[in-house]
């Protein structure tokens, strides 16, 4: 196969955004699988349809997840991608790397796979894209020697991920990286041996800006927050205003609960702490002058997911405030209660939010020993159909 | 063949952190964006770290990673990180390293940007390079869109950040359903049941139970161990195909993309919200998907022209009303836009307040 055989995908080598086709072509010079992947991609562009089949069950010894089996439906044309399995490699928390560790990963994938990768997959793993069944175990063995392990797939705990957190962000109210590392180490079995009704995701964001979209996609959502009052550096506020910053228009008027006022005469920003809902807007706008409070912890929410099957859900508030200090016993005990109830009652491919909707939040709260509180709802019910049992 | 070690977990992040990060962990005081793609974080200690944010196509070769490692070895003491939107972040305590880093990555053909009021990298799925259930490609259409929106990646001129995500089917791996603009691959034709294979490769009760609308039944002819689909009840979700490979629903002419708008995950100002349907169907038209690219560009431009400072797409639409969104973008409102799934009635208007 030459460039002449792939006119459609060649077009995507043009334009200012970096080209993945160029990347595949780079590997195609020395990897037959990358070369045949170009062929499959060209064929899909021509046919407007995928040329990959359902994965078979492939994996490494002792694991039920971490490898996605993949086969093309045109193996006679493109034999080098007859098998093109994916390995999900659990990333270090916060996606920090040394170049040494990355070079080791590259060398292992040079030896055992297509040389193509995703940095990273949506869930957070490094995706090693494309190898055959025989290479899986030797590749895995070398990966673990180099200090890497597989991530989650199937009906298991999926790879946990977190925002950059205290490593490089002043907004973070919890140690997102340590929680991610600690939970990942504690729940290796839940991640590597699928045994639940369906997938379960944990994501950790350090503040309500929610940098890893935890509220939209994590069954167990941890978002850093604070219980006291945000901190105001009066001198720095004045500097913003003196430099022409429109504090009235860009901060005061945008506060969702009208908790802030600007005293022009005294040059003072005043907050009514009870009205602040910790939305982060004012802090985002004036990071030099405003900071989260000092009584830090997390809001725990439950049930975020994409549409399959019963529709998408944003996570619901479960524990309004939880202190997050190692070894994170309270959060872990709650997780075990949730898993036990879901495992007991969930149907095949039923995420925990769908089960809560089917059984009722009341039933769920009783099962996990939590008392109802008004932070859990936007508003109470309007109908009269109450079960007094 | 040995077993390898088992359940060791990923490398410890503490072994991966640059020195300046280790020394100032949890002590950061404030940050500023000094120019598009460049962040400066300042610690309580007075130390600072400069970050250059670099766009990546996500699907990259190991040689690409090695190239980036060369830059990190030269200017960042052998450390780097990635963001949740696939950008690469090169960090250094030395301000004088910032410009050489930018020069080095630009030499590799990579853009610097994706900060503040920009359009950052598009979160996306695998598409036709790897997925069996894809209704559209991912990397290809993303490349076509980012080529067009490139000026927004390298600048910060929008009213607020615009987060774009793409899922190649409605399984939506990744949080596309809460994005300012979400592009979703859709099927528009019911599955074609291959009853010669069903009994061999599928579990019949599981397949029937997988259908959220109860459209799948046992074949009425008891001699045939197979299934039938009530096509009128099918909403093309593909859940049956996930559990039963003998029910493919991919179709060259029927598959395409839908565009949803106005979602967000951040709690800033307004609460997190779902993206909502703007355009029900656009065709798959590789290699550059001109219909989808034009539609997205139009939405971005109309938003940029009309939104107030710091207003996200969904906040702007909430203020001006969906009726104005459709008017301003000249996108036709059709019966497809009216919800008829679960909780649909919550979206019907129960007030006389609206705009003409």
């Amino acid at each position: 196969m030459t460039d002449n055989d792939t006119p459609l995908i060649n077009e995507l080598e043009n334009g200012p955004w970096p080209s993945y086709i160029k990347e595949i072509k780079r590997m195609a010079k020395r990897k037959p699988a990358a070369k045949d992947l170009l062929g499959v991609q060209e064929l899909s562009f021509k046919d407007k349809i995928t040329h990959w089949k359902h994965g078979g069950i492939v994996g490494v010894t002792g694991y039920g997840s971490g490898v996605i089996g993949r086969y093309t439906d045109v193996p006679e044309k493109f034999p080098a991608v007859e098998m093109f399995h994916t390995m999900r490699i659990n990333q270090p928390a916060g996606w920090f790397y040394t170049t040494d560790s990355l070079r080791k990963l590259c060398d292992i994938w040079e030896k055992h796979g297509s040389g193509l990768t995703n940095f990273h997959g949506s869930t957070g793993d490094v995706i090693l894209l494309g190898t055959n069944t025989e290479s899986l175990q030797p590749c895995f063995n070398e990966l673990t020697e180099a200090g890497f392990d597989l991530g989650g797939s199937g009906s298991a705990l999926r790879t946990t991920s977190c925002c950059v957190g205290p490593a490089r962000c002043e907004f973070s109210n919890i140690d997102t990286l340590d929680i991610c590392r600690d939970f990942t180490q504690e729940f290796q079995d839940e991640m590597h041996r699928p045994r639940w009704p369906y997938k379960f995701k944990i994501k950790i964001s350090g503040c309500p800006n929610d940098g890893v979209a935890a509220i939209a996609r994590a069954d167990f959502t941890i978002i850093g927050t604070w219980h006291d009052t945000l901190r105001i550096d009066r001198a720095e506020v004045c500097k913003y205003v003196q430099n022409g910053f429109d504090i009235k228009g860009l901060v005061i008027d945008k506060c969702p609960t009208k908790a802030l006022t600007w005293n022009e005469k005294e040059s003072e920003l005043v907050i009514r702490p009870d009205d602040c809902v910790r939305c982060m807007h004012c802090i985002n706008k004036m990071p030099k002058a405003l900071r989260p409070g000092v009584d830090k912890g997390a809001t725990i929410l439950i049930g975020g997911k994409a549409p399959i099957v019963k529709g998408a859900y944003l996570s619901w508030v479960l524990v309004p405030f939880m202190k997050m200090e190692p070894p994170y016993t309270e959060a872990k005990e709650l997780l075990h209660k949730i898993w036990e109830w879901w495992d007991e009652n969930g149907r095949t491919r039923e995420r925990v939010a769908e089960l809560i909707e089917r059984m009722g939040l009341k039933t769920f709260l009783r099962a996990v020993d939590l008392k109802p509180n008004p932070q859990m709802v936007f508003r109470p019910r309007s109908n009269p159909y109450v079960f007094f049992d | 063949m040995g077993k390898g070690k088992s359940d060791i977990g990923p490398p410890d992040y503490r072994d991966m952190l640059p020195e300046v990060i280790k020394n100032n962990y949890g002590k950061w005081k404030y940050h500023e964006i000094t120019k598009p793609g460049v962040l400066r974080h300042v610690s309580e200690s007075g130390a600072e770290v400069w970050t250059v944010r670099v766009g990546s196509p996500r699907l990259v070769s190991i040689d690409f990673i090695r190239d980036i490692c060369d830059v990190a070895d030269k200017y960042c003491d052998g450390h780097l990180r990635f963001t949740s939107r696939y950008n690469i972040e090169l960090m250094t305590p030395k301000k004088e390293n910032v410009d050489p880093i930018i020069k080095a990555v630009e030499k590799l053909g990579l853009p610097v940007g994706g900060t503040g009021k920009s359009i950052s990298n598009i979160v996306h799925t695998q598409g036709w390079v790897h997925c069996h259930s894809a209704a559209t490609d991912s990397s290809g259409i993303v490349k076509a869109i980012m080529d067009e929106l490139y000026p927004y990646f390298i600048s910060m001129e929008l009213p607020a950040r615009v987060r774009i995500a793409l899922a190649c089917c409605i399984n939506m791996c990744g949080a596309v359903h809460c994005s300012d603009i979400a592009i979703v691959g859709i099927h528009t034709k019911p599955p074609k049941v291959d009853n010669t294979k069903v009994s061999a490769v599928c579990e019949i009760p599981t397949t029937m139970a997988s259908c959220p609308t109860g459209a799948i039944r046992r074949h009425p002819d008891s001699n045939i161990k197979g299934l039938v689909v009530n096509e009128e009840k099918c909403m093309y979700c593909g859940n049956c195909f996930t559990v039963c490979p003998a029910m493919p629903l991919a179709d060259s002419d029927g598959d395409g993309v839908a565009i949803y708008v106005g979602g967000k995950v951040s709690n800033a100002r307004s609460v997190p919200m779902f993206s909502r349907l703007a355009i029900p169907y656009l065709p798959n038209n590789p290699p550059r998907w001109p219909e989808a690219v034009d539609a997205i560009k139009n939405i971005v431009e109309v938003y940029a022209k009309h939104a107030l400072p710091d207003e996200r797409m969904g906040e702007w639409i909430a203020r001006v009303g969906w009726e104005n969104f459709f008017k301003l973008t000249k996108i036709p409102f059709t019966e497809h836009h009216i919800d008829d799934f679960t909780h649909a009635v919550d979206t019907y208007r129960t007030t006389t307040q609206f705009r003409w």
Side-chain angles (χ1 to χ4, degrees):
Chain A
M1 193 173 55
T2 66
D3 266 6
N4 295 335
D5 300 323
T6 57
L8 291 171
I9 61 170
N10 291 350
E11 164 55 28
L12 293 182
E13 291 182 81
N14 304 319
W17 190 252
S19 168
Y20 75 105
I21 294 294
K22 278 188 189 166
E23 290 299 317
I24 303 175
K25 285 193 174 177
R26 256 174 120 170
M27 288 322 297
K29 285 181 191 148
R30 56 182 196 270
K31 289 282 182 185
K35 197 171 169 190
D36 275 2
L37 181 66
L38 291 169
V40 173
Q41 180 82 350
E42 178 73 14
L43 191 61
S44 277
F45 273 38
K46 191 164 148 271
D47 296 347
K48 298 197 272 188
I49 206 162
T50 188
H51 282 290
W52 301 100
K53 296 196 289 188
H54 259 270
I57 298 192
V58 288
V60 301
T61 307
Y63 283 53
S65 66
V67 180
I68 317 295
R70 188 63 71 217
Y71 303 84
T72 184
D73 67 0
V74 280
E76 64 293 346
K77 281 188 192 145
F78 305 110
V81 292
E82 178 172 8
M83 291 177 269
F84 199 65
H85 311 320
T86 294
M87 299 179 84
R88 291 185 180 166
I89 311 304
N90 199 150
Q91 82 287 2
W95 297 288
F96 281 94
Y97 295 92
T98 58
T99 51
D100 281 348
S101 67
L102 284 176
R103 289 182 197 280
K104 267 189 213 156
L105 262 184
C106 291
D107 292 346
I108 294 169
W109 197 232
E110 175 99 52
K111 194 167 152 193
H112 294 290
S114 71
L116 294 170
T117 71
N118 291 144
F119 274 85
H120 292 78
S122 304
T123 300
D125 304 279
V126 175
I127 307 291
L128 300 181
L129 206 59
T131 191
N132 53 34
T133 307
E134 309 80 78
S135 301
L136 292 170
Q137 190 69 43
C139 185
F140 171 76
N141 294 351
E142 283 196 39
L143 285 165
T144 53
E145 284 306 317
F148 285 91
D149 199 347
L150 297 181
S153 66
S155 295
L157 177 64
R158 297 302 182 85
T159 301
T160 296
S161 70
C162 67
C163 70
V164 69
R168 203 207 49 206
C169 184
E170 67 273 23
F171 297 160
S172 196
N173 297 287
I174 49 178
D175 193 339
T176 54
L177 290 87
D178 192 61
I179 298 167
C180 186
R181 179 200 62 81
D182 185 292
F183 282 38
T184 301
Q185 294 306 123
E186 172 116 4
F187 300 129
Q188 284 289 298
D189 193 37
E190 284 79 358
M191 193 161 81
H192 289 145
R193 277 143 220 115
R195 53 170 175 261
W196 287 332
Y198 201 11
K199 64 178 95 166
F200 193 96
K201 297 186 176 185
I202 303 173
K203 308 250 171 245
I204 309 134
S205 283
C207 81
N209 285 325
D210 196 2
V212 287
I215 205 163
R217 57 188 180 136
D219 299 270
F220 194 82
T221 301
I222 304 174
I223 297 180
T225 191
W226 61 97
H227 209 303
D228 53 348
T229 311
L230 63 82
R231 287 173 284 169
I232 300 174
D233 183 332
R234 198 173 160 181
E236 287 294 335
V237 173
C238 288
K239 273 193 213 163
Y240 271 99
V241 176
Q242 280 157 12
N243 290 333
F245 179 74
D246 175 16
I247 193 166
K248 177 84 174 46
L250 294 178
V251 175
I252 309 294
D253 293 350
K254 295 270 190 180
C255 176
T257 54
K258 306 278 174 272
L260 293 169
T261 43
W262 172 240
N263 184 332
E264 185 94 54
K265 221 161 83 190
E266 305 286 328
S267 285
E268 192 181 4
L269 181 67
V270 184
I271 183 167
R272 283 195 314 279
D274 288 352
D275 285 338
C276 173
V277 289
R278 304 167 310 285
C279 84
M280 294 297 295
H281 173 75
C282 60
I283 298 176
N284 290 340
K285 293 303 289 183
M286 307 169 74
K288 285 184 186 172
L290 305 180
R291 311 173 73 181
V294 292
D295 184 12
K296 293 162 183 281
T299 299
I300 309 290
L301 306 94
I302 181 116
K305 64 180 281 295
I308 287 287
V309 180
K310 294 280 170 67
Y313 296 87
L314 286 155
S315 288
W316 304 308
V317 170
L318 193 57
V319 182
F321 190 74
M322 186 186 280
K323 281 283 183 187
M324 295 298 289
E325 305 293 342
Y328 313 107
T329 310
E330 194 182 350
K332 287 177 188 167
E333 282 176 358
L334 179 58
L335 267 170
H336 279 296
K337 285 180 196 166
I338 293 166
W339 288 337
E340 200 183 314
W341 179 76
W342 174 52
D343 206 12
E344 187 81 5
N345 297 286
R347 294 172 182 157
T348 308
R349 285 172 63 76
E350 188 172 47
R351 294 278 286 271
V352 72
E354 289 162 323
L355 178 62
I356 292 171
E357 181 166 31
R358 181 160 66 81
M359 308 269 287
L361 183 59
K362 185 168 80 174
T363 307
F364 172 70
L365 292 177
R366 285 179 182 177
V368 299
D369 299 319
L370 286 174
K371 297 260 176 289
N373 62 58
Q375 282 83 8
M376 290 175 178
V377 295
F378 278 121
R379 57 194 81 88
R381 75 165 76 212
S382 62
N383 63 66
Y385 307 128
V386 178
F387 289 101
F388 289 100
D389 50 345
Chain B
M1 190 156 47
K3 260 182 69 174
K5 297 177 193 172
S6 198
D7 295 328
I8 59 169
D12 192 321
Y13 70 92
R14 288 169 290 199
D15 300 330
M16 299 289 164
L17 302 176
E19 205 60 29
V20 62
I21 297 284
K22 246 184 236 169
N23 294 340
N24 296 282
Y25 194 92
K27 295 181 201 154
W28 299 106
K29 198 174 173 199
Y30 69 90
H31 78 280
E32 59 188 346
I33 305 173
T34 58
K35 63 178 173 181
V38 180
L39 304 163
R40 170 178 172 254
H41 285 82
V42 180
S43 162
E44 306 269 14
S45 70
E48 57 184 33
V49 62
W50 293 79
T51 301
V52 178
R53 186 174 291 172
V54 183
S56 147
R58 185 177 93 124
L59 198 178
V60 296
S61 66
I62 47 179
D63 289 352
F64 175 100
I65 298 298
R66 287 165 175 152
D67 287 346
I68 290 291
C69 285
D70 288 343
V71 179
D73 282 339
K74 194 161 175 193
Y75 299 109
C76 310
D77 304 315
H79 295 267
L80 68 153
R81 79 174 288 267
F82 295 81
T83 72
S84 61
R85 304 192 83 85
Y86 325 136
N87 296 312
I88 302 153
E89 290 191 333
L90 295 161
M91 294 157 289
T92 172
K94 296 177 193 152
K95 188 184 177 186
E96 63 272 21
N97 280 359
V98 169
D99 285 335
I101 291 172
I102 294 173
K103 275 209 190 85
V105 295
E106 283 178 350
K107 206 174 156 197
L108 295 172
L110 303 176
V112 171
T115 52
K117 295 177 172 184
S118 65
I119 294 180
S120 188
N121 216 334
I122 299 180
V123 166
H124 62 278
T125 56
Q126 297 289 16
W128 292 335
V129 293
H130 208 62
C131 186
H132 67 290
S133 69
T136 188
D137 190 30
S138 293
S139 303
I141 180 170
V142 161
K143 159 76 173 147
I145 297 166
M146 285 309 288
D147 276 342
E148 198 63 37
L149 299 181
Y150 182 82
Y152 296 107
F153 182 87
I154 56 170
S155 64
M156 304 193 292
E157 306 292 321
L158 286 163
R161 64 194 57 200
V162 174
R163 293 285 183 250
I164 307 182
L166 180 141
C168 58
C169 81
I170 63 167
N171 269 317
M172 295 193 194
C173 43
V176 315
H177 56 294
C178 295
S179 305
D180 294 280
I181 301 176
I183 304 130
V184 182
I186 52 164
H187 303 291
T188 61
K189 300 200 171 162
K192 299 174 269 284
V193 188
D194 183 351
N195 276 323
T196 61
K197 284 191 191 150
V198 165
S199 64
V201 296
C202 311
E203 203 181 303
I204 287 180
T206 310
T207 310
M208 284 162 52
S210 73
C211 181
T213 63
I216 303 173
R217 291 271 176 271
R218 272 180 205 281
H219 201 286
D221 182 346
S222 58
N223 295 319
I224 300 175
K225 268 193 156 180
L227 296 160
V228 287
V229 176
N230 178 347
E231 299 198 347
E232 281 178 14
K233 283 170 103 176
C234 178
M235 55 185 188
Y236 334 110
C237 73
N239 205 41
C240 57
F241 177 59
T242 301
V243 301
C244 175
M247 301 193 68
L249 68 169
D251 184 279
S252 293
D253 301 319
D255 292 352
V257 297
I259 313 274
Y260 290 72
V261 301
K264 72 195 264 282
V265 294
S266 153
N267 283 271
R269 302 169 304 282
S270 53
V271 300
M273 30 188 168
F274 290 123
S275 315
R276 308 230 162 230
L277 183 63
I279 304 176
Y281 177 83
L282 293 167
N284 277 330
N285 194 357
R288 288 217 167 256
W289 279 264
E291 296 86 354
V293 170
D294 288 352
I296 290 159
K297 203 177 166 203
N298 172 47
I299 292 167
V300 170
E301 284 172 356
V302 172
Y303 158 77
K305 192 171 161 198
H306 291 92
L308 298 175
D310 294 324
E311 227 169 29
R312 291 282 291 269
M313 181 85 67
E315 295 172 306
W316 163 62
I317 298 171
R319 179 171 59 80
V320 303
W322 283 97
E323 57 275 39
N324 267 331
F325 169 81
F326 285 101
K327 190 157 83 182
L328 292 167
T329 56
K330 300 191 170 69
I331 295 169
F333 185 83
T334 68
E335 63 181 15
H336 298 314
H337 291 89
I338 299 177
D339 197 350
D340 51 13
F341 194 53
T342 51
H343 315 303
V345 293
D346 291 350
T347 63
Y348 303 164
R349 197 184 300 252
T350 56
T351 169
T352 56
Q353 297 180 11
F354 51 82
R355 295 168 180 85
W356 300 114

